[in-house]
Amino acid sequence: MSVVRRLAATSTVLLPEHKPPGSRGVILEAALRLFAERGYVGASVREIAEASGVKPATLYAHYPSKEHLLAELCRVGHEEHRRSVRAALLNSGTDPRDQVIAYVRAHVGMHTAFPMLAVVANGELHALSAELGAATFELRRQSEQVLADIVQRGVDRGVFDVPHVWLAVTAIGGMGLRVAYWYTPEYELDAEQVADVYAEYALRILGAAPLNLRRETRGDSS
Amino acid sequence: MSVVRRLAATSTVLLPEHKPPGSRGVILEAALRLFAERGYVGASVREIAEASGVKPATLYAHYPSKEHLLAELCRVGHEEHRRSVRAALLNSGTDPRDQVIAYVRAHVGMHTAFPMLAVVANGELHALSAELGAATFELRRQSEQVLADIVQRGVDRGVFDVPHVWLAVTAIGGMGLRVAYWYTPEYELDAEQVADVYAEYALRILGAAPLNLRRETRGDSS
DNA sequence: ATGTCAAACGAACGTTCGTTAGTAATCTGC
DNA sequence: GCAGATTACTAACGAACGTTCGTTTGACAT
């Protein structure tokens, strides 16, 4: 057995709305857990089948190949990310600072709520062939671009002061990505608090000008 | 072929001082490249041997198993990280702000100079058995603790103002980790500039009080 | 009872995996 | 130029891989 797990989370694997009914859903969820824990190559079809309470042959009655399982998970993961970010931005104002808060809270929230989905969708995307991965890859590019556009608008409006826009995007995105690997519901802070703190860090990275209604919330979550 | 590479870098794989002489070194370097590009499970002994210009059986005259190859790479990676951070801290002052700059510059510098080593040492560590991975895992824990201690000292001295110490450590560490995946020498900024910008972002995350000699360097690298 | 159909099955396919035994080639020190 | 050690080789091992084949099962409609 390994000395260190690939990710800390162990439960809440797949949302009901992402999970197909019947065996399809059971198999997909088992694949998600095993891909997250052992990686795509390290998880065998036989293990996935056994974890689903099904024989390996049955798996191929529901999915044409192991790779299609991964493709489905990557697609679901990135679509949930986009859905979550879009909903958050629709509920935020036009101020780039509010939008950054909304984006980072949604971004981090996705990685705390569905850590396995996030780990697989981001960390195993490279295992997909060009044909099966192209659509998902485009989704990821768009999500990055959304944040980049927000940051750029903030710089143009003078509310952000940042040495380098794209490096700020990679920094903010990167620190959020890592959350999926260490967060568990047993952590001393709940997901909401982690998201709030990371949103504050993002604003600090961006050198955000103080927002009258927000600044006093800075130190209240330690 | 995949639509997206696992990491962007393709060269400068292993430092001479990390590379054993003769075939041992050639094999280790080939293993590093293949582990970084395809993952530990995804890279086969036959591929590593072929990339080394050697037959599979020869590999076992130099390393007792495939896992020992990974263990060696994880160890080298984390020891280079510790060496780099230690050297940087010895050349920095006692002010926690200087120490954070030193740490982040070394941290990011390691991930730009040896992206493959960083990707393997961090991203494949979980594939090691408890026996082979314990020492390296302890190295990683110590490196994290070094940063945590610096941040805590800064908070105690009143030069940092941060909502949550450990979340700041994960954020700073996480954004640096991700650099190994996207940085290439062809990037618009060189490694030094990336490290400088990330060091600035780290200070911002920590809400660092202005340092007289430093503050005017904030916007000069965009 | 009989026919239909989706779902699951046992068994096996050819391939690749990490690894090893035994042997030939090459270098080192005298 | 020979002995001993090192290095690399050919060939093969058992196990596991993703996948497919032909069949059986169980529920429901005729």
Side-chain angles (χ1 to χ4, degrees), chain A:
Chain A
M1 189 42 89
S2 165
V3 64
V4 47
R5 295 174 49 76
R6 196 146 179 271
L7 79 173
T10 59
S11 60
T12 311
V13 167
L14 205 49
L15 265 189
E17 57 258 41
H18 300 143
K19 189 175 170 178
S23 294
R24 266 187 77 91
V26 176
I27 291 170
L28 192 65
E29 198 162 20
L32 173 53
R33 155 163 270 123
L34 285 162
F35 287 167
E37 288 176 350
R38 307 188 210 270
Y40 172 69
V41 191
S44 76
V45 169
R46 284 170 178 80
E47 286 174 321
I48 298 170
E50 188 170 11
S52 314
V54 140
K55 300 299 172 185
T58 306
L59 193 145
Y60 286 88
H62 296 282
Y63 295 92
S65 77
K66 182 187 175 187
E67 191 185 353
H68 280 80
L69 271 171
L70 176 59
E72 176 77 357
L73 289 168
C74 287
R75 189 188 59 78
V76 167
H78 278 90
E79 284 192 348
E80 169 62 20
H81 185 270
R82 181 169 67 171
R83 188 206 60 74
S84 167
V85 166
R86 277 190 176 167
L89 288 178
L90 286 176
N91 284 328
S92 77
T94 59
D95 189 310
R97 289 165 290 192
D98 289 330
Q99 293 175 346
V100 162
I101 294 172
Y103 184 100
V104 173
R105 285 173 50 95
H107 182 61
V108 172
M110 153 90 195
H111 287 76
T112 52
F114 312 108
M116 292 196 175
L117 201 51
V119 164
V120 170
N122 278 294
E124 304 289 342
L125 183 53
H126 68 97
L128 286 178
S129 65
E131 189 182 6
L132 286 182
T136 299
F137 181 60
E138 174 61 15
L139 275 179
R140 180 161 89 169
R141 202 197 55 76
Q142 286 175 10
S143 279
E144 260 181 340
Q145 192 58 48
V146 166
L147 178 57
D149 290 345
I150 295 172
V151 172
Q152 187 60 58
R153 271 187 63 247
V155 170
D156 294 343
R157 292 196 177 191
V159 298
F160 293 157
D161 170 27
V162 80
H164 193 280
V165 167
W166 189 252
L167 283 190
V169 171
T170 60
I172 294 170
M175 72 189 197
L177 269 181
R178 293 298 304 177
V179 173
Y181 290 88
W182 58 260
Y183 181 80
T184 74
E186 291 80 28
Y187 186 63
E188 112 190 46
L189 301 184
D190 64 30
E192 200 82 24
Q193 294 172 303
V194 173
D196 285 341
V197 172
Y198 269 61
E200 170 66 22
Y201 290 161
L203 287 175
R204 291 185 176 192
I205 286 176
L206 296 170
L211 192 61
N212 291 340
L213 299 174
R214 193 185 49 76
R215 208 54 175 178
E216 61 269 19
T217 70
R218 247 181 62 171
D220 67 352
S221 52
S222 74

Side-chain angles (χ1 to χ4, degrees), chain B residues 7 15 25 28 30 32 39 42 50 73 82 153-154 161 200 210 222:
Chain B
L7 79 173
L15 264 188
L28 192 65
L32 172 53
E50 187 170 12
L73 289 168
R82 180 168 69 171
R153 271 188 62 248
D161 170 28
E200 169 65 23
S222 75

